[in-house]
CSV table of all heavy atoms in Angstrom, one decimal:
chain,number,residue,atom,x,y,z
G,20,ARG,N,10.1,11.7,27.8
G,20,ARG,CA,11.1,11.2,28.8
G,20,ARG,C,11.0,12.0,30.1
G,20,ARG,O,11.2,11.4,31.2
G,20,ARG,CB,12.5,11.4,28.2
G,20,ARG,CG,12.7,10.5,27.0
G,20,ARG,CD,14.3,10.3,26.8
G,20,ARG,NE,15.0,11.7,26.6
G,20,ARG,CZ,15.1,12.3,25.5
G,20,ARG,NH1,14.7,11.7,24.4
G,20,ARG,NH2,15.8,13.4,25.4
G,25,ASP,N,12.0,7.8,33.7
G,25,ASP,CA,12.4,7.0,34.8
G,25,ASP,C,11.6,5.8,35.0
G,25,ASP,O,12.2,4.7,35.3
G,25,ASP,CB,12.4,7.8,36.1
G,25,ASP,CG,13.4,9.0,36.1
G,25,ASP,OD1,14.4,8.9,35.4
G,25,ASP,OD2,13.2,10.0,36.8
G,63,ALA,N,-3.0,14.2,22.4
G,63,ALA,CA,-2.4,14.1,23.8
G,63,ALA,C,-0.9,14.2,23.8
G,63,ALA,O,-0.2,13.5,24.5
G,63,ALA,CB,-2.8,12.7,24.4
G,75,VAL,N,3.6,13.7,8.3
G,75,VAL,CA,4.2,12.4,7.8
G,75,VAL,C,3.0,11.6,7.2
G,75,VAL,O,3.2,10.9,6.2
G,75,VAL,CB,4.9,11.7,8.9
G,75,VAL,CG1,5.2,10.2,8.5
G,75,VAL,CG2,6.1,12.3,9.3
G,102,VAL,N,-5.4,-3.9,-26.8
G,102,VAL,CA,-6.6,-4.0,-27.5
G,102,VAL,C,-6.3,-3.8,-29.1
G,102,VAL,O,-6.9,-4.4,-29.9
G,102,VAL,CB,-7.6,-3.1,-27.0
G,102,VAL,CG1,-8.9,-3.0,-27.9
G,102,VAL,CG2,-8.1,-3.5,-25.6
G,121,LYS,N,3.3,-6.0,-15.9
G,121,LYS,CA,4.4,-5.3,-15.2
G,121,LYS,C,3.9,-3.9,-14.8
G,121,LYS,O,4.3,-3.3,-13.8
G,121,LYS,CB,5.5,-5.2,-16.1
G,121,LYS,CG,6.4,-6.4,-16.3
G,121,LYS,CD,7.6,-6.2,-17.2
G,121,LYS,CE,8.3,-7.4,-17.4
G,121,LYS,NZ,9.5,-7.3,-18.4
G,156,ALA,N,12.5,-4.4,-2.4
G,156,ALA,CA,13.9,-4.2,-2.1
G,156,ALA,C,14.7,-5.4,-2.8
G,156,ALA,O,15.8,-5.2,-3.3
G,156,ALA,CB,14.2,-4.3,-0.6
G,159,PHE,N,14.9,-4.7,-6.5
G,159,PHE,CA,15.7,-3.6,-6.9
G,159,PHE,C,17.2,-4.0,-6.8
G,159,PHE,O,18.0,-3.7,-7.6
G,159,PHE,CB,15.4,-2.4,-5.9
G,159,PHE,CG,16.4,-1.3,-6.0
G,159,PHE,CD1,16.1,-0.3,-7.1
G,159,PHE,CD2,17.4,-1.0,-5.2
G,159,PHE,CE1,17.0,0.7,-7.2
G,159,PHE,CE2,18.2,0.0,-5.4
G,159,PHE,CZ,18.0,0.9,-6.4
G,175,PHE,N,13.2,5.7,-7.6
G,175,PHE,CA,12.2,5.0,-6.8
G,175,PHE,C,11.8,5.5,-5.5
G,175,PHE,O,10.9,5.0,-4.8
G,175,PHE,CB,12.9,3.5,-6.7
G,175,PHE,CG,12.8,2.7,-7.8
G,175,PHE,CD1,14.0,2.5,-8.5
G,175,PHE,CD2,11.7,2.0,-8.3
G,175,PHE,CE1,14.0,1.7,-9.7
G,175,PHE,CE2,11.6,1.3,-9.4
G,175,PHE,CZ,12.8,1.0,-10.1
G,176,ALA,N,12.5,6.6,-5.1
G,176,ALA,CA,12.2,7.2,-3.8
G,176,ALA,C,10.7,7.6,-3.6
G,176,ALA,O,10.1,7.3,-2.5
G,176,ALA,CB,13.1,8.4,-3.5
G,184,LEU,N,6.6,5.4,5.3
G,184,LEU,CA,5.8,6.3,6.3
G,184,LEU,C,4.6,5.7,6.6
G,184,LEU,O,4.1,6.0,7.8
G,184,LEU,CB,5.6,7.6,5.5
G,184,LEU,CG,6.8,8.4,5.1
G,184,LEU,CD1,6.4,9.7,4.5
G,184,LEU,CD2,7.7,8.6,6.3
G,189,PHE,N,1.2,5.4,10.7
G,189,PHE,CA,-0.2,4.9,10.9
G,189,PHE,C,-0.2,3.8,12.0
G,189,PHE,O,-0.6,2.7,11.8
G,189,PHE,CB,-0.8,4.4,9.6
G,189,PHE,CG,-1.3,5.5,8.7
G,189,PHE,CD1,-0.4,6.0,7.7
G,189,PHE,CD2,-2.5,6.1,8.9
G,189,PHE,CE1,-0.9,7.1,6.9
G,189,PHE,CE2,-2.9,7.2,8.1
G,189,PHE,CZ,-2.1,7.7,7.1
G,247,LEU,N,-5.1,27.8,-3.1
G,247,LEU,CA,-6.4,28.6,-3.3
G,247,LEU,C,-7.5,28.1,-2.5
G,247,LEU,O,-8.4,29.0,-2.1
G,247,LEU,CB,-6.7,28.8,-4.8
G,247,LEU,CG,-5.6,29.4,-5.7
G,247,LEU,CD1,-6.2,29.4,-7.1
G,247,LEU,CD2,-5.3,30.8,-5.2
G,265,CYS,N,5.7,16.2,-1.9
G,265,CYS,CA,5.3,15.2,-2.9
G,265,CYS,C,5.5,15.8,-4.4
G,265,CYS,O,6.0,15.0,-5.2
G,265,CYS,CB,3.9,14.7,-2.7
G,265,CYS,SG,3.7,13.7,-1.2
Side-chain angles (χ1 to χ4, degrees):
R20 294 199 306 271
D25 292 337
V75 172
V102 172
K121 290 180 180 178
F159 175 79
F175 285 103
L184 297 184
F189 281 95
L247 298 178
C265 289

